[in-house]
Amino acid sequence: MPRGDKSSYTDKQKRQAEHIEESEKDEGRSEAAAERIAWATVNKQDGGGKKGGGTRKATKKAVKKSATKKAAKKTAAKKATKKAATKKAAKKATTKKAVRKSAAKKVAKKTTARKAAKKTPAR
């Protein structure tokens, strides 16, 4: 297939290109520039010719699927990292609470011991 061959485009895509080309000419563009812009627009909208016929490189849908899979993997990795960070933070908070509780118990024991010492008369 020679370069610039439009045989792989559907009739609808060809009609779209014609309409775009006409509107570009109405805006004052040259014939060649209008045609170039029209086909570039059709390619951008549809990802090129849609008629089947042999093997082609990855289609837009296939590319989109792989991009979606990659994004899902990244999201899963972020969630896992976030969970791990949350677990660490929770463990740290629990440890801090335990340290505070034990410190509070020690203080309570000391004050109880002091009170008991004051109550007993000196000999």
Side-chain angles (χ1 to χ4, degrees):
M1 180 175 356
R3 197 173 168 139
D5 184 27
K6 308 295 184 216
S7 64
S8 64
Y9 289 89
T10 62
D11 291 335
K12 182 181 177 182
Q13 289 174 315
K14 290 175 184 175
R15 284 194 309 273
Q16 285 176 330
E18 280 180 37
H19 288 295
I20 295 167
E21 188 176 346
E22 287 173 19
S23 66
E24 291 297 322
K25 285 180 191 174
D26 291 343
E27 289 184 21
R29 304 248 183 346
S30 69
E31 177 83 28
E35 185 179 358
R36 180 182 50 80
I37 291 169
W39 286 108
T41 305
V42 170
N43 284 336
K44 183 160 187 167
Q45 289 173 346
D46 296 332
K50 286 191 171 181
K51 279 189 181 175
T55 58
R56 254 187 285 146
K57 289 186 180 177
T59 60
K60 208 173 194 181
K61 284 184 182 179
V63 170
K64 200 171 189 179
K65 277 185 182 180
S66 66
T68 306
K69 283 183 182 180
K70 284 180 185 176
K73 283 182 182 178
K74 279 185 180 180
T75 305
K78 281 183 183 179
K79 282 183 181 180
T81 306
K82 197 171 186 180
K83 276 187 179 181
T86 307
K87 282 183 180 180
K88 279 185 181 179
K91 191 174 184 179
K92 213 175 200 182
T94 307
T95 307
K96 281 185 179 180
K97 282 183 183 178
V99 168
R100 284 187 199 138
K101 278 186 179 180
S102 65
K105 282 182 182 178
K106 285 180 184 177
V107 170
K109 278 185 182 179
K110 282 184 182 178
T111 54
T112 307
R114 284 183 193 158
K115 284 182 184 178
K118 283 183 182 178
K119 282 186 180 178
T120 54
R123 289 187 188 177

